[in-house]
Amino acid sequence: DSAGKVRWTRSFGGMRKDRGFSIAATADGGFLATGGTWSADGDVQGVSKGLSDIFLTKLDGAGALVWPRSYGSAAGEEEGYDLALTRDGGCVLTGYTESRTEDFDGMGNGLSDVFVVKLDADASPLARDSVFVYPNVASSVITIVCTTMRNASLRVDITDVLGREVSRVVDAVTTAGTNEIRYAVSGLPTGMYVVRMRTADDTQYARISVVK
């Protein structure tokens, strides 16, 4: 508490080595914690991938386990070292991975690699391209968050609700990952618009409302 007195303690894991490295308070009064687990029983029974896995757990405000998640594969070791909450209610995890299959299929560059995983509010990986815009009610500037799973030719534009292009935001080649683009909408009339993100094999949309 505010006086430094212990309110509660909790432990999670199984019979083998389990480690926690980062924790963050969530908007619902609970917590997300990440680390690594070698266990396949106890609190991680049924979620282990094999060897050491990234461990993500959701706790309620009293520290009780809501759900556990793990990410990795049976062929390599992983641990999650840090996490950050995102504006869309999900989170981003980072750490290291030695895997080339399952959750990290085709992503390895050799030996141990840095990983960054974007998760939605249910802690499911976003395994496809995505676009997220904030604020979604804007009068001056919006931030467009574009996530691509691979190096891609990226085109982002703003359309009206009938799909007619109103403004071109970007048309360029980008590397896999997340890019944030700040864009002025102050010149657009009040109304509903759609941010459209296109790559060679996918199209994603996000709605915005411009209010003057």
Side-chain angles (χ1 to χ4, degrees), residues 6-85:
V6 175
R7 293 285 300 275
W8 47 257
T9 61
R10 302 285 186 267
S11 67
F12 305 98
M15 294 295 293
R16 302 189 67 190
K17 181 170 64 176
D18 308 290
R19 305 197 292 181
F21 293 115
S22 183
I23 191 167
T26 54
D28 60 3
F31 305 92
L32 283 175
T34 190
T37 176
W38 289 79
S39 297
D41 58 353
D43 296 309
V44 292
Q45 185 172 5
V47 300
S48 172
K49 303 295 177 64
L51 293 180
S52 174
D53 297 320
I54 303 154
F55 181 51
L56 179 70
T57 182
K58 178 71 169 73
L59 311 175
D60 65 18
L65 182 66
V66 178
W67 47 250
R69 301 279 191 271
S70 73
Y71 309 95
S73 78
E77 297 180 8
E78 285 79 35
E79 283 190 310
Y81 287 151
D82 206 355
L83 63 85
L85 304 182

Side-chain angles (χ1 to χ4, degrees), residues 141-177:
V141 176
I142 59 174
T143 298
I144 305 170
V145 184
C146 300
T147 301
T148 55
M149 297 296 104
R150 60 194 64 82
N151 297 349
S153 176
L154 179 69
R155 179 172 173 176
V156 178
D157 49 34
I158 296 176
T159 74
D160 61 20
V161 292
L162 298 178
R164 296 173 298 199
E165 183 178 312
V166 174
S167 181
R168 179 72 54 83
V169 178
V170 67
D171 193 348
V173 175
T174 185
T175 57

